[in-house]
Amino acid sequence: MNLPGLRGHNAALVLDLLRGAGGGGVGRLELAERTGLTPQAVSKIVARLRGEGLVAEAGRRASTGGKPQTLLRLVPGAGYAVGVQLERDALVAVLVDLTGVVIGERRAAVDFSDGVDSVVEVAVGAVSALVGTASAGVEAGAPRTGGCAHPFRPAERLPTALEGSAAAAGVLGVGLALPGPLDHASGVLHRVTGFPEWDGYPLREVLAERLGLPVAVDKDTNAAALGLALAGVAESFAYLHLGTGLGAGLVLGGGVYRGARTGAGEFGHQVVRMDGPLCECGARGCVEALCLAAVARGDLDEAARALGTAAGNLVALLDIDLVLLGGRTVGAAEELFVRGVGAVVAERARREGAGAAVGVRVAPGGERGVAEGAAQLVLAPLFGRASAAFPANRT
Amino acid sequence: MNLPGLRGHNAALVLDLLRGAGGGGVGRLELAERTGLTPQAVSKIVARLRGEGLVAEAGRRASTGGKPQTLLRLVPGAGYAVGVQLERDALVAVLVDLTGVVIGERRAAVDFSDGVDSVVEVAVGAVSALVGTASAGVEAGAPRTGGCAHPFRPAERLPTALEGSAAAAGVLGVGLALPGPLDHASGVLHRVTGFPEWDGYPLREVLAERLGLPVAVDKDTNAAALGLALAGVAESFAYLHLGTGLGAGLVLGGGVYRGARTGAGEFGHQVVRMDGPLCECGARGCVEALCLAAVARGDLDEAARALGTAAGNLVALLDIDLVLLGGRTVGAAEELFVRGVGAVVAERARREGAGAAVGVRVAPGGERGVAEGAAQLVLAPLFGRASAAFPANRT
DNA sequence: CTACTTTGGCAACGGTGTTGCCAAAGTGCA
DNA sequence: TGCACTTTGGCAACACCGTTGCCAAAGTAG
């Protein structure tokens, strides 16, 4: 790490604290204490960030007997990001500002069997429409933002039709959440079951080319987990998504854990019943197979018990104290699943005599959570929230 | 992070590269490339470290047409650490130098039922003896080391009988590896089954007081994993220890992953056969129970299959590509376990179409591995190898 | 012996966080 | 209303980090 690196690191630290505080604002002294820097250093950093238009004053705190603290906050309009959740039959895209607040949304039907080009076209259309929204919003609302220099956009390549307006609107990039295996670093899909045309397709590169914007891709569960992590639900937790399949996103120590090849969180085929019923993956006794079979025959209690068993394994293995449940199947019977999974996990924690209780809850954020998390794939690096323990990401 | 922090960070980067290279040595230019710093910055850092006695020149590389590179290496005698593996019936202590090479060993019989004080006494005796060895070795071998200022030892407290000689010998601290649950951060044991006296005992504090040296404690599997990580086996891997119980140590992204409360790696009670045979922990179908039962009836193939199933779960969940097996039970039939576990894991990787093969091997290091890893609990921080994603360790 | 390559230190520099100091802006009490 | 006190936060000088430009040292190649 060199001096520019140190500068960026500390700036990200400050920005992350401001982001975490939301609209309320944080005082300089609190920033100093929480970053470990001296108040004077924080003042300098804040002055720089104010000059770049990223940070602004947000009123004052009540005096405690002296000069009242000036509160600071992020400037929401200093940057935007688009998040796209692509499923096999639908696409959800959101536009969020620098603080992560959704300020635009587009939904569209897609069909993977229509071919790659068709789906890319729909995605480009949705993103373009949202970038237009950002452009309009900026022009109407925040006066100075369009004019100030955005420190994030190198803008090296030939401008596309979109790029001009995107840059003007301060759209920093596009995050794309996809089901199934892929490579986060290279942005290439793998083994899209049933759609061989998609296998190995360099989706990130193609979209970046078409949009003229940086594009980051990740698994949908990782995106959801990232969104939850930035929302501050916990330092470490697991997000379990039970929909048409079963997957997980792991947040360990504040960052999404993706493993060596973005494969971490492959939760559906955890074997919890050796020599059990055959799963479509070829193995026997996978949680996903047990869960979905139980759901299919209406036995939700048993589905929750299977899910709870696998969740308990995960909790014990990684020593985390929060499990968040999401996905359509969970959504259809939230209380039942929370109670069922919670019971198994709690029983196990009780037996192992662990101290703090492990929380099992429904993931906040609802249906848009994945798309919002996808947008955070773009914003997170600004706040020093790149993924934890993921060497391939260090490039 | 401030400037002294940056300085320390970069120094640790350089020291870690030198450690990784072993006695062979590394050139300044290679250090520059691998740290991302300029050659001049590396020169300055190396000059500081040479002044502190931590780094020395180690000959020259053959010329490539110009001035030959001066190779650099760690000075082994610049610091020592003691690693102690404490089991219920035995204690192994080793003295290692800064490069991790073992230069002394003590073994002793202990009995937990003799009480805490008795065991502490044995440990203190073994450590003291080894510190004496270091003292002697230093006086005989490396001439300047005793005299040079050790930057690691604040030496604030009242000197104990031992502390004088320990400081003189450059012993930086003691690492202690223990079976079962404990708190790495506070150094307190939990739930030592069958020995209630040990429960909640502040072992780290007591030992530190008695020895007058810093003491770090950790689970035995974590210590072993740390040793393997520093030996450079892989960036991410799992160490599975099958002895009288079954545990795991996880290394994710270069550092030991301990979770929120040092509980990560609780592998033995991963449920792989829901509603299976009752385990002594109260659950049903734990790997440990299945494995040990199979071993007890002589069916090692089945034990390996159960272990392989759980290992496969872990590999898929964390996306790692190396599993190392250790422990007495594995040692008794190494090839069988490697083949059995490897077959299950490979079969699963094949089904999931993963690219790179997952390696399953016997952990190198043998019986002393845990004690050596325990010593690295002291040395690792010097090389910037504090645990990954472990917030409680940031203090 | 000369020309060239490569290494690595010296000196000056820009920029980081830190320290010492003090103006600004409040409260509290006489 | 006025003075003392507290707290905030900027200004200026500073120490120290990595960087840049330069060049001596130490080899090879012909």
mmCIF file of all heavy atoms in Angstrom, chain A residues 123-156:
data_model
loop_
_atom_site.group_PDB
_atom_site.id
_atom_site.type_symbol
_atom_site.label_atom_id
_atom_site.label_comp_id
_atom_site.label_asym_id
_atom_site.label_seq_id
_atom_site.Cartn_x
_atom_site.Cartn_y
_atom_site.Cartn_z
ATOM 1 N N ALA A 123 -32.376 -6.086 -21.278
ATOM 2 C CA ALA A 123 -31.607 -5.518 -20.174
ATOM 3 C C ALA A 123 -31.088 -4.130 -20.540
ATOM 4 O O ALA A 123 -31.184 -3.174 -19.750
ATOM 5 C CB ALA A 123 -30.437 -6.447 -19.813
ATOM 6 N N VAL A 124 -30.559 -3.995 -21.743
ATOM 7 C CA VAL A 124 -30.041 -2.697 -22.185
ATOM 8 C C VAL A 124 -31.167 -1.664 -22.177
ATOM 9 O O VAL A 124 -30.984 -0.526 -21.717
ATOM 10 C CB VAL A 124 -29.418 -2.812 -23.600
ATOM 11 C CG1 VAL A 124 -29.157 -1.429 -24.181
ATOM 12 C CG2 VAL A 124 -28.143 -3.616 -23.539
ATOM 13 N N GLY A 125 -32.334 -2.087 -22.635
ATOM 14 C CA GLY A 125 -33.462 -1.158 -22.650
ATOM 15 C C GLY A 125 -33.831 -0.694 -21.255
ATOM 16 O O GLY A 125 -34.017 0.513 -21.010
ATOM 17 N N ALA A 126 -33.907 -1.630 -20.314
ATOM 18 C CA ALA A 126 -34.292 -1.269 -18.944
ATOM 19 C C ALA A 126 -33.258 -0.343 -18.312
ATOM 20 O O ALA A 126 -33.609 0.664 -17.679
ATOM 21 C CB ALA A 126 -34.455 -2.537 -18.110
ATOM 22 N N VAL A 127 -31.985 -0.678 -18.501
ATOM 23 C CA VAL A 127 -30.939 0.153 -17.910
ATOM 24 C C VAL A 127 -30.960 1.543 -18.524
ATOM 25 O O VAL A 127 -30.883 2.557 -17.822
ATOM 26 C CB VAL A 127 -29.555 -0.505 -18.101
ATOM 27 C CG1 VAL A 127 -28.451 0.440 -17.666
ATOM 28 C CG2 VAL A 127 -29.475 -1.811 -17.337
ATOM 29 N N SER A 128 -31.110 1.614 -19.830
ATOM 30 C CA SER A 128 -31.125 2.911 -20.497
ATOM 31 C C SER A 128 -32.253 3.784 -19.974
ATOM 32 O O SER A 128 -32.068 4.983 -19.725
ATOM 33 C CB SER A 128 -31.285 2.723 -22.008
ATOM 34 O OG SER A 128 -30.259 1.915 -22.513
ATOM 35 N N ALA A 129 -33.405 3.182 -19.823
ATOM 36 C CA ALA A 129 -34.546 3.944 -19.327
ATOM 37 C C ALA A 129 -34.249 4.508 -17.944
ATOM 38 O O ALA A 129 -34.544 5.673 -17.648
ATOM 39 C CB ALA A 129 -35.777 3.044 -19.285
ATOM 40 N N LEU A 130 -33.625 3.687 -17.088
ATOM 41 C CA LEU A 130 -33.322 4.149 -15.732
ATOM 42 C C LEU A 130 -32.252 5.226 -15.732
ATOM 43 O O LEU A 130 -32.307 6.175 -14.946
ATOM 44 C CB LEU A 130 -32.880 2.971 -14.868
ATOM 45 C CG LEU A 130 -34.018 2.030 -14.464
ATOM 46 C CD1 LEU A 130 -33.473 0.792 -13.798
ATOM 47 C CD2 LEU A 130 -34.983 2.749 -13.533
ATOM 48 N N VAL A 131 -31.266 5.063 -16.595
ATOM 49 C CA VAL A 131 -30.231 6.091 -16.675
ATOM 50 C C VAL A 131 -30.863 7.415 -17.091
ATOM 51 O O VAL A 131 -30.503 8.484 -16.580
ATOM 52 C CB VAL A 131 -29.125 5.675 -17.671
ATOM 53 C CG1 VAL A 131 -28.207 6.852 -17.972
ATOM 54 C CG2 VAL A 131 -28.336 4.514 -17.112
ATOM 55 N N GLY A 132 -31.855 7.345 -17.996
ATOM 56 C CA GLY A 132 -32.588 8.551 -18.360
ATOM 57 C C GLY A 132 -33.257 9.173 -17.151
ATOM 58 O O GLY A 132 -33.213 10.388 -16.937
ATOM 59 N N THR A 133 -33.848 8.326 -16.319
ATOM 60 C CA THR A 133 -34.465 8.810 -15.081
ATOM 61 C C THR A 133 -33.455 9.570 -14.236
ATOM 62 O O THR A 133 -33.727 10.664 -13.738
ATOM 63 C CB THR A 133 -34.999 7.626 -14.256
ATOM 64 O OG1 THR A 133 -35.812 6.821 -15.081
ATOM 65 C CG2 THR A 133 -35.782 8.125 -13.063
ATOM 66 N N ALA A 134 -32.279 8.974 -14.089
ATOM 67 C CA ALA A 134 -31.246 9.608 -13.266
ATOM 68 C C ALA A 134 -30.901 10.964 -13.840
ATOM 69 O O ALA A 134 -30.818 11.966 -13.131
ATOM 70 C CB ALA A 134 -30.000 8.721 -13.218
ATOM 71 N N SER A 135 -30.717 10.979 -15.143
ATOM 72 C CA SER A 135 -30.390 12.222 -15.831
ATOM 73 C C SER A 135 -31.430 13.288 -15.531
ATOM 74 O O SER A 135 -31.109 14.396 -15.117
ATOM 75 C CB SER A 135 -30.350 11.938 -17.337
ATOM 76 O OG SER A 135 -29.463 12.790 -17.976
ATOM 77 N N ALA A 136 -32.712 12.917 -15.710
ATOM 78 C CA ALA A 136 -33.793 13.863 -15.465
ATOM 79 C C ALA A 136 -33.819 14.304 -14.009
ATOM 80 O O ALA A 136 -33.920 15.486 -13.697
ATOM 81 C CB ALA A 136 -35.123 13.233 -15.850
ATOM 82 N N GLY A 137 -33.714 13.316 -13.129
ATOM 83 C CA GLY A 137 -33.760 13.629 -11.706
ATOM 84 C C GLY A 137 -32.669 14.604 -11.313
ATOM 85 O O GLY A 137 -32.904 15.557 -10.568
ATOM 86 N N VAL A 138 -31.503 14.381 -11.841
ATOM 87 C CA VAL A 138 -30.386 15.246 -11.504
ATOM 88 C C VAL A 138 -30.642 16.660 -12.003
ATOM 89 O O VAL A 138 -30.479 17.641 -11.289
ATOM 90 C CB VAL A 138 -29.090 14.699 -12.121
ATOM 91 C CG1 VAL A 138 -28.002 15.753 -12.071
ATOM 92 C CG2 VAL A 138 -28.667 13.450 -11.396
ATOM 93 N N GLU A 139 -31.091 16.715 -13.253
ATOM 94 C CA GLU A 139 -31.308 18.040 -13.820
ATOM 95 C C GLU A 139 -32.394 18.804 -13.059
ATOM 96 O O GLU A 139 -32.303 20.006 -12.869
ATOM 97 C CB GLU A 139 -31.710 17.912 -15.286
ATOM 98 C CG GLU A 139 -30.499 17.610 -16.171
ATOM 99 C CD GLU A 139 -30.898 16.980 -17.486
ATOM 100 O OE1 GLU A 139 -32.081 17.052 -17.837
ATOM 101 O OE2 GLU A 139 -30.016 16.395 -18.134
ATOM 102 N N ALA A 140 -33.416 18.057 -12.633
ATOM 103 C CA ALA A 140 -34.492 18.727 -11.905
ATOM 104 C C ALA A 140 -34.075 19.047 -10.468
ATOM 105 O O ALA A 140 -34.255 20.148 -9.985
ATOM 106 C CB ALA A 140 -35.733 17.842 -11.903
ATOM 107 N N GLY A 141 -33.490 18.050 -9.829
ATOM 108 C CA GLY A 141 -33.279 18.187 -8.389
ATOM 109 C C GLY A 141 -31.963 18.834 -7.990
ATOM 110 O O GLY A 141 -31.908 20.019 -7.704
ATOM 111 N N ALA A 142 -30.927 18.047 -7.989
ATOM 112 C CA ALA A 142 -29.645 18.567 -7.497
ATOM 113 C C ALA A 142 -28.975 19.432 -8.556
ATOM 114 O O ALA A 142 -28.665 18.953 -9.632
ATOM 115 C CB ALA A 142 -28.730 17.393 -7.125
ATOM 116 N N PRO A 143 -28.746 20.662 -8.245
ATOM 117 C CA PRO A 143 -28.249 21.584 -9.256
ATOM 118 C C PRO A 143 -26.783 21.396 -9.618
ATOM 119 O O PRO A 143 -26.434 21.374 -10.781
ATOM 120 C CB PRO A 143 -28.481 22.955 -8.609
ATOM 121 C CG PRO A 143 -28.557 22.704 -7.147
ATOM 122 C CD PRO A 143 -29.023 21.302 -6.960
ATOM 123 N N ARG A 144 -25.924 21.228 -8.642
ATOM 124 C CA ARG A 144 -24.488 21.263 -8.922
ATOM 125 C C ARG A 144 -23.923 19.929 -9.416
ATOM 126 O O ARG A 144 -22.868 19.879 -10.032
ATOM 127 C CB ARG A 144 -23.721 21.713 -7.677
ATOM 128 C CG ARG A 144 -23.224 23.167 -7.762
ATOM 129 C CD ARG A 144 -22.223 23.462 -6.671
ATOM 130 N NE ARG A 144 -20.890 22.958 -6.940
ATOM 131 C CZ ARG A 144 -20.385 21.843 -6.470
ATOM 132 N NH1 ARG A 144 -21.108 21.073 -5.706
ATOM 133 N NH2 ARG A 144 -19.159 21.492 -6.742
ATOM 134 N N THR A 145 -24.632 18.853 -9.108
ATOM 135 C CA THR A 145 -24.046 17.539 -9.301
ATOM 136 C C THR A 145 -23.599 17.284 -10.732
ATOM 137 O O THR A 145 -22.520 16.762 -10.973
ATOM 138 C CB THR A 145 -25.056 16.464 -8.887
ATOM 139 O OG1 THR A 145 -25.544 16.801 -7.610
ATOM 140 C CG2 THR A 145 -24.402 15.111 -8.859
ATOM 141 N N GLY A 146 -24.443 17.635 -11.684
ATOM 142 C CA GLY A 146 -24.105 17.374 -13.077
ATOM 143 C C GLY A 146 -22.791 18.038 -13.472
ATOM 144 O O GLY A 146 -22.054 17.525 -14.294
ATOM 145 N N GLY A 147 -22.514 19.123 -12.859
ATOM 146 C CA GLY A 147 -21.334 19.865 -13.270
ATOM 147 C C GLY A 147 -20.055 19.434 -12.570
ATOM 148 O O GLY A 147 -18.980 19.569 -13.127
ATOM 149 N N CYS A 148 -20.183 18.886 -11.381
ATOM 150 C CA CYS A 148 -18.967 18.592 -10.627
ATOM 151 C C CYS A 148 -18.259 17.368 -11.184
ATOM 152 O O CYS A 148 -18.865 16.484 -11.753
ATOM 153 C CB CYS A 148 -19.270 18.389 -9.144
ATOM 154 S SG CYS A 148 -19.785 16.732 -8.722
ATOM 155 N N ALA A 149 -16.973 17.329 -11.023
ATOM 156 C CA ALA A 149 -16.188 16.228 -11.571
ATOM 157 C C ALA A 149 -16.463 14.958 -10.785
ATOM 158 O O ALA A 149 -16.382 14.947 -9.566
ATOM 159 C CB ALA A 149 -14.705 16.568 -11.508
ATOM 160 N N HIS A 150 -16.796 13.888 -11.466
ATOM 161 C CA HIS A 150 -16.978 12.619 -10.780
ATOM 162 C C HIS A 150 -15.668 11.881 -10.742
ATOM 163 O O HIS A 150 -15.120 11.520 -11.772
ATOM 164 C CB HIS A 150 -18.025 11.779 -11.504
ATOM 165 C CG HIS A 150 -19.403 12.196 -11.141
ATOM 166 N ND1 HIS A 150 -19.942 11.991 -9.896
ATOM 167 C CD2 HIS A 150 -20.342 12.842 -11.845
ATOM 168 C CE1 HIS A 150 -21.161 12.481 -9.863
ATOM 169 N NE2 HIS A 150 -21.434 13.013 -11.030
ATOM 170 N N PRO A 151 -15.168 11.671 -9.566
ATOM 171 C CA PRO A 151 -13.836 11.073 -9.468
ATOM 172 C C PRO A 151 -13.803 9.601 -9.872
ATOM 173 O O PRO A 151 -12.748 9.030 -9.974
ATOM 174 C CB PRO A 151 -13.499 11.220 -7.980
ATOM 175 C CG PRO A 151 -14.823 11.327 -7.306
ATOM 176 C CD PRO A 151 -15.765 11.945 -8.275
ATOM 177 N N PHE A 152 -14.948 8.995 -10.089
ATOM 178 C CA PHE A 152 -14.959 7.541 -10.312
ATOM 179 C C PHE A 152 -14.895 7.154 -11.774
ATOM 180 O O PHE A 152 -14.604 6.038 -12.110
ATOM 181 C CB PHE A 152 -16.226 6.930 -9.725
ATOM 182 C CG PHE A 152 -16.521 7.420 -8.362
ATOM 183 C CD1 PHE A 152 -17.773 7.875 -8.037
ATOM 184 C CD2 PHE A 152 -15.522 7.431 -7.396
ATOM 185 C CE1 PHE A 152 -18.035 8.329 -6.775
ATOM 186 C CE2 PHE A 152 -15.784 7.892 -6.132
ATOM 187 C CZ PHE A 152 -17.049 8.342 -5.815
ATOM 188 N N ARG A 153 -15.218 8.072 -12.670
ATOM 189 C CA ARG A 153 -15.400 7.688 -14.059
ATOM 190 C C ARG A 153 -14.188 8.043 -14.893
ATOM 191 O O ARG A 153 -14.037 9.194 -15.260
ATOM 192 C CB ARG A 153 -16.640 8.386 -14.625
ATOM 193 C CG ARG A 153 -17.939 8.044 -13.947
ATOM 194 C CD ARG A 153 -18.706 6.981 -14.713
ATOM 195 N NE ARG A 153 -17.914 6.289 -15.695
ATOM 196 C CZ ARG A 153 -18.155 6.287 -17.000
ATOM 197 N NH1 ARG A 153 -19.138 6.956 -17.473
ATOM 198 N NH2 ARG A 153 -17.397 5.594 -17.808
ATOM 199 N N PRO A 154 -13.393 7.087 -15.204
ATOM 200 C CA PRO A 154 -12.258 7.404 -16.060
ATOM 201 C C PRO A 154 -12.707 7.789 -17.474
ATOM 202 O O PRO A 154 -12.138 8.680 -18.089
ATOM 203 C CB PRO A 154 -11.434 6.120 -16.058
ATOM 204 C CG PRO A 154 -12.234 5.078 -15.388
ATOM 205 C CD PRO A 154 -13.468 5.693 -14.816
ATOM 206 N N ALA A 155 -13.743 7.103 -17.988
ATOM 207 C CA ALA A 155 -14.286 7.429 -19.316
ATOM 208 C C ALA A 155 -13.200 7.397 -20.374
ATOM 209 O O ALA A 155 -12.819 8.412 -20.952
ATOM 210 C CB ALA A 155 -14.981 8.782 -19.310
ATOM 211 N N GLU A 156 -12.682 6.182 -20.609
ATOM 212 C CA GLU A 156 -11.563 6.071 -21.542
ATOM 213 C C GLU A 156 -12.018 5.699 -22.947
ATOM 214 O O GLU A 156 -11.388 6.043 -23.925
ATOM 215 C CB GLU A 156 -10.591 4.989 -21.073
ATOM 216 C CG GLU A 156 -10.156 5.146 -19.632
ATOM 217 C CD GLU A 156 -9.838 3.811 -19.012
ATOM 218 O OE1 GLU A 156 -10.292 2.775 -19.529
ATOM 219 O OE2 GLU A 156 -9.121 3.808 -18.001
#
